[in-house]
């Protein structure tokens, strides 16, 4: 099916669901089915985008530093194509067994190891096309790096979990790949590790990833060859395979049958320093496994600014207790704005209902 | 209105209501569009801002926020029946957090003063719009300002972590976080470039970056502007990510050289200024790569500026380009389209044809790395019809940017200036959604009314005047 007729078909499906007030569960590659609230599948239809014609690179010229792709394109295919031209997606989103698609990447907004140093998915998104909750095909942003015409709807969609529209096309800024990368591992205490992580960027301008787990601090340097080699020598420690970062980004360090929480917090915070199974993003991202109590209560009591996502539940625990809500609750003012925005994009609450928040 | 003024005075002691003193607020940097407000308010405290917002909300009086008024699209042009809210008195840097590389500042702090404040710590704030000496960070958020370094370091939206804002109903809201991301939809991104339509920013937490240890600026001359455009693509596809990559055409070079004597070659058709930064090794390796890429393609020698004085001198001509071009004619009109870089040659050819058609000179200065064009249209406002001709020429350039797959504004915003061209850039459904988003935040529509997003009615009237690419953009609308 052509790209155009694929979009038409999605529009038809959404329009029909809109008429009937039926919910739609949007699935791309299905790689992140564990992420977000469970949808009550007996009540809603599945809108499976797998193999429906939204795949493929629409436009890519290395000199532009921009790639425009159908939302059904697999992330691994985009990475491979960019790699042939020594370019990359600088936010290192997880590929999850190769199944992740560009649409899902934008909808979930999950970024990888390079995030604190070069930015997140949202930082590289230049444009999106969507089908909204009434079946209208809309286009925002474009294929240029600087664009301030209209509200930034493209970035608003990053991390919105399909609640605002079915993403059909994505344009991203890409970056040249570093000529050289080197990862080192160093045995230090957790407290030392956090101190080092917090000051890495100042002392090592080529740092491109940092993580601490099982008693070791891992740091990656990226850039021109000499500067990377010098930085790696100065840092010391043992040479580690660069593949480590893919394993971290794809959550391969964590066993599946555990509750996995992600804390996003100011990098120098001491919160959950001892309990975190893995600390990365210069200290700003901490992973908790099977915490005894609701970590949101701990965060709230601390008064620090941050949020927690229950990334993966234990034993597919479907209990509705607040302990099991995947996304961090919103304060009343924020919730009101979210409800309002949702109504504008999806007036009948049919796109991924309750996937992100119980309220819509 | 007298009741309103009494209330306004009781909330905030600094209210200006006489025409003579309000005159300085009648326009922003786009002086062709001006309007006196009903009152100007200069609050000093958060309570005062909240009080003013609530008062305007209750009386449904338009409220336009303003920073330093350096914007170039009329985004801060006052409303004739409304209050102009100046945030100039909110000019304190509240906190510098060295561990997390953040600075918490008030919205009236100037862009440059943030970098100056943290320079002794070896840090700086990356986005550097050319007005950085005067423009405020609140205005930068409203316009999502760029600058010469955004190819590598991003726009304002990439360098702000958290905002405190006042919503139209007077409620205060914090969006974003001192962490790298926050819960819910990315409202932080939505606020950037929203041109004062959704909320009033009253505190900004920006990212700070360690200053690069080494910086070099390279100047290369070219025998044609097309050759310079090709070099831009080759530099980027060759694996370099320059901190800045600027292109100037012959007219702009000559004007700059006559004005500040930066040592630019005047026997070439175009120059590229390329800034490389990083550790000493990093810079040397990039420089070597740049040499390989440009080998045999340039006219004359590469000028390499390594020390600060030499770098500043090379940048001087570029930074003075606008005022320098301003010396060539009584007035100039600065455009701000963005195009895919591959279209550069065709677009420049087209601009030179338009220049002939209207009989007005156009000097071209570009942020070449990201395809952002700043054609400067020279005219004399005192000559009958020239301002109108300049505006028509500008409008044609913007329409061409859309046709070439680009956008009508890269960094200056829509404001009042490009509101008609928004009808060409977006369809009715997208525009309707923009109005929907606005209504979620500002149901009464009293924050900066009439800016940034055209009404569908306006687009219908505008569309009746012209038909683009042989088809109407809003065929479903009535024409009258």
């Amino acid at each position: 099916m052509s790209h155009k007729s694929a979009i038409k078909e999605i529009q038809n499906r959404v329009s029909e669901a809109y008429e009937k007030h039926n919910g739609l569960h949007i699935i791309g590659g299905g790689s992140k089915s564990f992420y977000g609230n469970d949808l009550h599948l007996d009540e809603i239809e599945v809108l499976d985008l797998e193999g429906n014609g939204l795949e493929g690179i629409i436009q890519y010229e290395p000199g532009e530093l921009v790639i425009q792709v159908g939302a059904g394109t697999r992330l691994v295919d985009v990475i491979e194509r960019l790699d042939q031209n020594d370019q990359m997606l600088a936010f290192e989103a997880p590929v999850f067994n190769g199944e992740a698609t560009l649409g899902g990447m934008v909808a979930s907004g999950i970024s990888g190891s390079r995030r604190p140093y070069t930015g997140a998915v949202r930082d590289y998104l230049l444009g999106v096309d969507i089908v909204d909750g009434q079946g209208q095909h809309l286009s925002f942003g474009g294929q240029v790096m600087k664009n301030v015409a209209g509200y930034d709807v493209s970035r608003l969609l990053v991390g919105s979990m399909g609640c605002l529209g079915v993403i059909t096309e994505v344009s991203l800024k890409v970056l040249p790949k570093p000529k050289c990368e080197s990862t080192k591992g160093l045995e230090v205490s957790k407290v030392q590790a956090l101190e080092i992580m917090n000051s890495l960027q100042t002392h090592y301008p080529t740092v491109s990833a940092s993580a601490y787990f099982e008693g070791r601090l891992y740091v990656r340097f990226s850039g021109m060859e000499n500067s990377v080699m010098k930085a790696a020598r100065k840092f010391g420690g043992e040479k580690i395979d660069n593949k480590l970062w893919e394993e971290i980004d794809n959550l391969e360090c964590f066993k599946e049958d555990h509750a996995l929480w992600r804390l996003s917090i100011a990098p120098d915070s001491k919160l959950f320093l001892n309990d975190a199974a893995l600390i990365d993003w210069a200290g700003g991202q901490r992973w908790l496994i099977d915490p005894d109590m609701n970590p949101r209560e701990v965060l709230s009591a601390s008064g620090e600014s941050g949020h927690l996502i229950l990334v993966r539940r234990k034993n597919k625990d479907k209990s509705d207790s607040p302990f099991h809500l995947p996304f961090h609750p919103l304060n009343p003012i924020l919730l009101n704005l979210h409800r309002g925005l949702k109504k504008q994009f999806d007036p009948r609450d049919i796109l991924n209902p309750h996937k992100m928040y119980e309220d819509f | 209105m007298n009741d309103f003024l009494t209330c306004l005075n009781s909330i905030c002691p600094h209210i200006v209501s006489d025409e003579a003193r309000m005159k300085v607020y009648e326009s922003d940097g786009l002086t062709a569009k001006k309007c006196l407000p009903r009152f100007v308010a200069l609050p000093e405290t958060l309570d005062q801002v909240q009080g003013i917002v609530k008062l305007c909300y209750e009386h449904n009086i338009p409220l336009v926020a303003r920073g330093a008024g350096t914007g170039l699209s009329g985004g801060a042009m006052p409303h004739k029946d409304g209050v102009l809210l100046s945030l100039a008195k909110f000019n304190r840097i509240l906190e510098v957090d060295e561990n997390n590389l953040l600075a918490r500042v008030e919205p009236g702090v100037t862009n440059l003063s943030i970098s100056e404040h943290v320079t002794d710590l070896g840090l700086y704030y990356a986005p550097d719009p050319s007005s950085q000496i005067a423009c405020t960070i609140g205005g930068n958020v409203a316009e999502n300002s760029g600058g010469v370094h955004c190819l590598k370091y991003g726009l304002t939206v990439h360098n702000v972590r958290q905002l405190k804002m006042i919503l139209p109903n007077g409620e205060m809201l914090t969006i974003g976080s001192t962490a790298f991301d926050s819960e819910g939809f990315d409202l932080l991104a939505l606020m950037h470039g929203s041109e004062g339509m959704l909320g009033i920013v009253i505190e900004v937490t920006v990212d700070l970056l360690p200053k690069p240890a080494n910086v070099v600026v390279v100047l290369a001359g070219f025998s044609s502007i097309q050759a310079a455009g090709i070099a831009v693509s080759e530099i980027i596809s060759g694996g370099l990510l320059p901190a800045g990559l600027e292109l100037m055409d012959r007219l702009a070079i000559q004007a700059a050289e006559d004005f500040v004597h930066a040592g630019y070659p005047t026997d070439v058709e175009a120059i590229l200024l390329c800034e490389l930064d990083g550790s000493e090794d990093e810079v040397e390796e990039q420089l070597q790569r740049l040499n390989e890429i440009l080998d045999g393609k340039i006219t004359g020698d590469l000028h390499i500026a390594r020390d600060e004085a030499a770098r500043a001198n090379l940048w001087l001509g570029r930074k003075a380009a606008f005022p320098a071009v301003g010396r060539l004619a009584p007035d100039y009109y600065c455009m701000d389209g963005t195009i895919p870089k591959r279209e550069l040659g065709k677009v420049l050819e087209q601009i030179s044809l338009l220049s002939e058609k209207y009989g007005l000179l156009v000097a071209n200065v570009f942020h070449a790395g990201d395809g952002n064009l700043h054609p400067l249209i020279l005219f004399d406002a005192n000559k009958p019809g020239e301002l109108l001709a300049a505006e028509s020429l500008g409008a044609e350039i913007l329409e061409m940017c859309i046709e070439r797959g680009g956008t009508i504004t890269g960094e200056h915003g829509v404001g009042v200036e490009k509101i008609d061209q928004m009808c060409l850039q977006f369809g009715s459904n997208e525009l309707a959604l923009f109005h929907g988003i606005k209504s979620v935040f500002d149901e009464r529509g009293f924050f900066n009314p009439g800016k940034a997003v055209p009404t569908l009615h306006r687009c219908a009237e505008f569309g009746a005047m012209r038909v683009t690419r042989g088809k109407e953009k809003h065929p479903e609308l009535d024409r009258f």
Side-chain angles (χ1 to χ4, degrees):
Chain A
M1 201 190 304
S2 75
H3 195 74
K4 213 171 170 180
S5 46
I7 291 166
K8 196 78 214 149
E9 191 177 296
I10 294 168
Q11 285 186 273
N12 290 341
R13 282 291 304 280
V14 176
S15 301
E16 202 179 303
Y18 175 79
E19 292 304 325
K20 294 182 184 161
H21 294 257
N22 276 355
L24 284 174
H25 176 203
I26 309 159
I27 301 179
S31 69
K32 291 178 274 285
S33 55
F34 57 86
Y35 199 58
N37 274 321
D38 277 322
L39 302 174
H40 303 289
L41 288 178
D42 44 338
E43 292 164 22
I44 65 172
E45 296 171 29
V46 169
L47 178 62
D48 192 347
L49 305 176
E50 175 87 57
N52 83 335
L54 284 184
E55 305 85 13
I57 291 164
I58 299 162
Q59 191 161 43
Y60 168 51
E61 284 174 41
E64 295 287 330
L65 287 185
V66 175
I67 191 163
Q68 181 187 6
V69 292
T73 317
R74 289 189 190 270
L75 182 52
V76 281
D77 294 337
V78 174
I79 293 171
E80 192 190 327
R81 177 70 183 276
L82 294 173
D83 198 55
Q84 290 163 2
N85 291 286
D86 293 320
Q87 294 187 337
M88 64 174 186
L89 296 174
F91 42 82
E92 295 187 306
V95 300
F96 291 132
N97 299 321
E99 288 160 351
T101 62
L102 267 282
M105 178 190 89
V106 170
S108 67
I110 303 173
S111 302
S113 296
R114 222 178 278 271
R115 198 281 168 238
Y117 310 105
T118 47
V121 177
R122 55 95 87 172
D123 293 314
Y124 290 87
L125 189 69
L126 302 176
V128 291
D129 283 10
I130 59 168
V131 172
D132 74 0
Q134 294 183 74
Q136 301 183 114
H137 188 230
L138 307 174
S139 188
F140 299 98
Q143 287 79 51
V144 289
M145 278 176 221
K146 276 165 120 181
N147 186 356
V148 290
Y151 299 123
D152 196 343
V153 171
S154 308
R155 290 196 172 92
L156 181 66
L157 285 159
V158 179
S160 65
M161 297 296 290
C163 296
L164 300 179
V166 184
I167 298 169
T168 58
E169 192 185 300
V170 172
S171 295
L172 293 156
K173 177 179 176 181
V174 304
L175 285 189
K177 256 178 88 166
K179 296 276 173 282
C180 175
E181 300 209 298
S182 172
T183 300
K184 298 298 279 292
L186 192 65
E187 271 174 43
V188 286
S189 74
K190 252 184 186 172
V191 175
Q192 283 173 308
L194 190 69
E195 261 173 43
I196 298 173
M197 273 200 255
N198 286 169
S199 63
L200 272 171
Q201 221 181 339
T202 311
H203 299 299
Y204 297 91
T206 50
V207 61
S208 70
S210 54
Y212 181 83
F213 63 97
E214 292 169 356
R216 269 178 145 191
L217 172 65
Y218 298 92
V219 175
R220 180 180 61 192
F221 304 97
S222 306
M224 293 292 192
E225 196 171 348
N226 287 340
S227 41
V228 167
M229 287 306 154
K230 265 194 194 166
R233 264 200 306 277
K234 181 176 152 195
F235 185 77
E238 191 185 329
K239 191 167 168 48
I240 307 286
D241 193 326
N242 285 322
K243 285 237 171 301
L244 171 77
W245 304 104
E246 278 170 48
E247 289 164 25
I248 292 176
D249 293 341
N250 288 303
L251 308 179
E252 286 165 24
C253 313
F254 309 109
K255 291 197 185 89
E256 280 196 22
D257 197 24
H258 291 277
L260 178 64
W261 290 78
R262 168 187 181 266
L263 168 69
S264 179
I265 192 120
D268 74 341
S269 167
K270 303 288 180 285
L271 212 60
F272 292 107
L273 188 59
N274 280 321
D275 305 320
L278 191 153
I279 300 172
D280 58 353
W281 286 18
Q285 179 170 259
R286 297 167 194 197
W287 300 87
L288 315 174
I289 294 171
D290 289 335
D292 298 331
M293 59 181 293
N294 188 344
R296 286 194 183 119
E297 285 170 16
V298 180
L299 175 63
S300 164
S302 76
E304 291 188 38
S305 148
H307 70 120
L308 276 142
I309 295 175
L310 174 53
V311 173
R312 208 154 52 193
R313 275 160 292 183
K314 191 176 186 172
N315 300 326
K316 301 254 174 238
D317 193 337
K318 285 179 184 165
S319 147
D320 286 334
S321 85
F323 196 4
H324 297 108
L325 291 177
F327 292 103
H328 206 86
L330 303 169
N331 70 42
I333 301 177
L334 269 180
L335 183 59
N336 212 14
L337 292 174
H338 277 64
R339 278 201 203 106
L341 288 168
K342 170 74 174 173
K343 275 274 168 281
Q344 293 299 327
F345 284 82
D346 178 18
R348 290 188 177 164
D349 280 355
I350 60 168
L351 302 177
N352 274 0
H354 317 303
K355 179 83 183 166
M356 198 169 180
Y357 291 105
E358 289 298 318
D359 295 79
F360 52 78
Chain B
M1 248 330 169
N2 279 339
D3 277 359
F4 180 80
L5 180 60
T6 311
C7 294
L8 197 58
N9 270 316
S10 71
I11 293 167
C12 172
H14 304 285
I15 303 294
V16 184
S17 56
D18 62 289
E19 275 194 22
R21 284 173 64 213
M22 289 199 297
K23 198 90 178 140
V24 291
Y25 297 99
E26 69 178 353
S27 77
D28 60 13
L30 181 71
T31 50
K33 305 277 179 195
K34 54 183 77 165
C35 174
L36 275 181
R38 193 76 181 75
F39 309 110
V40 175
L42 295 134
E44 285 176 308
T45 68
L46 192 53
D47 281 348
Q48 289 173 4
V49 178
Q50 268 181 303
I52 295 166
V53 170
K54 279 182 188 157
L55 185 70
C56 290
Y57 176 79
E58 282 158 16
H59 289 78
N60 215 1
I61 299 286
L63 187 67
V64 178
R66 173 185 165 113
T70 57
L72 292 170
S73 58
M77 187 185 83
H79 191 285
K80 70 176 173 48
D81 301 322
V83 173
L84 184 85
L85 183 77
S86 164
L87 293 151
K89 290 181 188 282
F90 288 80
N91 58 0
R92 290 175 304 163
I93 292 174
L94 301 170
E95 186 189 356
V96 173
D97 177 352
E98 261 189 278
N99 276 346
N100 296 310
L101 297 176
L102 298 172
R104 197 160 58 85
V105 306
E106 292 184 333
V109 164
T110 64
N111 172 296
L112 186 63
S113 66
I114 301 174
S115 290
E116 284 173 348
H117 188 81
V118 296
T119 189
D120 289 345
L121 301 172
L123 303 172
Y124 77 114
Y125 172 65
D128 58 345
S130 57
S131 56
Q132 70 176 148
I133 188 165
C135 66
T136 64
I137 193 72
N140 288 180
V141 171
E143 301 296 329
N144 192 15
S145 308
V148 295
H149 291 103
C150 44
L151 175 65
K152 185 168 179 181
Y153 295 105
L155 306 155
T156 306
V157 69
H158 303 104
N159 290 278
V160 169
R161 203 74 76 79
Q162 183 175 279
L163 294 176
K164 267 189 199 156
M165 58 191 260
I166 309 282
L167 293 169
N169 63 6
E171 285 180 322
M172 194 168 81
L173 176 66
T174 300
I175 52 176
S177 160
T178 50
F180 288 109
D181 45 37
S182 57
E183 64 270 35
F185 300 154
D186 198 336
L187 301 185
L188 190 61
L190 188 63
M191 274 304 289
H192 282 84
S194 63
E195 304 197 16
M197 306 275 287
L198 306 180
I200 291 171
V201 171
I202 48 113
E203 190 183 295
V204 187
T205 302
V206 299
D207 286 334
L208 301 174
L209 286 177
K211 280 191 275 189
N214 278 274
V215 182
V216 297
V217 178
V218 178
L219 181 148
F222 295 86
S223 59
S224 73
I225 200 146
Q226 280 75 10
I230 292 167
V232 168
S233 284
E234 287 179 348
I235 289 168
I236 286 164
S237 55
L240 289 176
L241 188 66
L245 191 56
E246 298 288 309
L247 196 159
M248 291 165 71
D249 75 355
R250 191 184 183 94
L251 188 57
I253 299 166
Q254 190 65 56
E257 196 48 31
D258 291 346
F259 186 35
V260 295
H261 314 292
Y264 290 177
T266 48
D267 57 345
V268 296
E269 287 301 315
I271 58 165
L272 269 186
L273 283 170
C274 179
E275 184 173 293
L276 303 169
D277 67 4
S279 67
E280 205 170 316
D281 292 315
E282 194 82 2
V283 168
E284 286 313 313
E285 286 176 271
Q286 291 181 68
L287 205 49
Q288 198 184 331
R289 183 82 189 102
L290 183 70
N291 256 313
E292 289 164 16
I293 294 168
L294 294 180
D295 189 32
K297 290 165 191 151
I298 59 168
T299 301
D301 296 328
L302 277 187
H303 299 248
I304 301 172
R306 291 174 187 275
D307 62 81
E308 200 169 340
R311 291 199 307 268
N313 195 47
L314 280 190
W315 272 122
L316 187 64
R318 167 62 186 88
K319 289 191 171 169
F322 289 14
V325 167
R327 293 166 77 234
L328 301 180
D331 301 282
Y332 71 89
Y333 186 32
C334 173
M335 308 306 298
D336 173 46
T338 304
I339 49 163
K341 289 184 281 290
R342 60 177 174 270
E343 303 288 344
L344 194 62
K346 284 172 232 159
V347 166
L348 289 173
E349 241 166 73
Q350 208 61 43
I351 289 178
S352 96
L353 290 176
L354 286 171
S355 162
E356 274 172 40
K357 173 178 154 188
Y358 284 92
L360 297 175
L361 283 175
V362 181
N364 290 297
V365 179
F366 307 136
H367 303 304
D370 40 38
N372 189 192
L373 317 174
H374 291 316
L376 304 168
I377 303 167
L378 306 182
F379 69 101
D380 181 351
N382 288 326
K383 285 190 191 160
E386 278 215 352
L387 171 62
L388 216 58
E391 286 182 334
S392 304
L393 202 175
E396 284 208 46
I397 292 176
L398 295 184
E399 285 160 29
M400 178 170 57
C401 289
I402 301 173
E403 278 174 40
R404 298 286 173 183
T407 175
I408 55 172
T409 173
E411 57 184 0
H412 294 172
V414 174
V416 287
E417 183 200 20
K418 304 176 200 81
I419 197 145
D420 286 333
Q421 282 72 34
M422 281 289 283
C423 308
L424 303 175
Q425 176 113 35
F426 293 99
S428 303
N429 292 340
E430 284 86 356
L431 292 174
L433 184 64
F434 288 154
H435 287 295
I437 290 170
K438 163 81 169 164
S439 72
V440 171
F441 288 78
D442 178 19
E443 206 182 342
R444 298 187 180 181
F446 73 108
F447 269 21
N448 216 6
K451 310 278 179 66
V453 185
T455 60
L456 298 182
H457 178 83
R458 186 183 180 117
C459 285
E461 288 191 309
F462 178 67
M465 292 188 294
R466 57 186 79 206
V467 175
T468 307
R469 278 172 285 170
K471 58 180 181 196
E472 290 177 328
K473 186 82 179 176
H474 302 272
E476 70 286 9
L477 294 175
D478 291 334
R479 316 266 151 190
F480 11 74

